[in-house]
Amino acid sequence: MSEITIRALGADEWETYRDVRLRALEESPDAFAASLTQEKQFEEEFWRTRVERSRRMVAESGDEVVGVVSVGNRSTEDARVVELFGLWVTPSLRGQGVAWKLVEAGVEQATAENYKFVLYWVGTDNGRAVAFASSFGFRPTDSRRPMKGATEETEDDEEMAMIYALSDDPSAVPSSVLA
């Protein structure tokens, strides 16, 4: 395996983000609320806006993009909290530290932007994802929500909020996350 590098995409790299996002949706349709069919229809302006509204970070092996994660303030109004979302790694590199490097870069980005907590929503039935997030240092909260994109057949599926404290006081988890 080539060395894996992580970098943030610039606003002009919307095509890179679009391409990896569509690959992720094609390979792991159940991991995302959106569908490949839906997102393939979006025009350039949509992708440009999406790249600019959150920090998009990619993992690269040589010239190939092999993973992605996003960091942005999506699901909370608490200015101290940023969300990590859209984590995906190409199947051939799973279990080889790529996801760890992406999450690490996301946490570093959140720290650089002076956030105090990183929120990560994980499916309650996705033991591998819960174990990964826990091993990184994320802690489960009591906050639950229906799985995004749930259908009638999966309406009972839930996600739980996991929180990573960026400060010296991990007990100071915002009540907005705990509710």
Side-chain angles (χ1 to χ4, degrees), residues 26-95:
E26 182 174 30
E27 189 282 320
S28 301
D30 295 336
F32 300 96
S35 74
L36 176 63
T37 303
Q38 176 188 25
E39 293 207 6
K40 279 175 109 174
Q41 305 302 315
F42 294 143
E43 301 289 332
E44 177 180 334
E45 188 57 35
F46 171 87
W47 292 105
R48 284 185 179 280
T49 300
R50 189 178 256 190
V51 165
E52 291 174 5
R53 78 173 180 222
S54 296
R55 176 69 65 200
R56 311 299 175 164
M57 308 184 90
V58 293
E60 295 173 318
S61 176
D63 293 333
E64 182 184 1
V65 176
V66 296
V68 63
V69 73
S70 297
V71 179
N73 200 336
R74 295 186 345 152
S75 63
T76 179
E77 293 181 18
D78 190 324
R80 300 173 301 160
V81 180
V82 70
E83 186 174 344
L84 183 83
F85 60 98
L87 177 62
W88 177 81
V89 173
T90 192
S92 64
L93 293 178
R94 290 181 186 159

Side-chain angles (χ1 to χ4, degrees), residues 97-171:
V98 178
W100 188 278
K101 287 182 177 187
L102 283 164
V103 171
E104 188 172 57
V107 165
E108 288 171 4
Q109 183 68 42
T111 301
E113 294 179 14
N114 296 314
Y115 287 100
K116 302 299 180 206
F117 301 93
V118 178
L119 182 67
Y120 182 43
W121 289 94
V122 179
T124 55
D125 64 344
N126 189 342
R128 187 172 177 183
V130 171
F132 168 77
S134 295
S135 71
F136 193 90
F138 284 87
R139 296 295 166 243
T141 69
D142 292 335
S143 187
R144 303 284 189 273
R145 69 181 184 192
M147 183 76 76
K148 287 191 173 188
T151 63
E152 194 173 294
E153 144 185 328
T154 63
E155 66 186 340
D156 293 333
D157 290 354
E158 286 186 322
E159 294 178 303
M160 73 171 152
M162 297 188 76
I163 195 86
Y164 185 88
L166 298 172
S167 69
D168 292 335
D169 185 7
S171 66

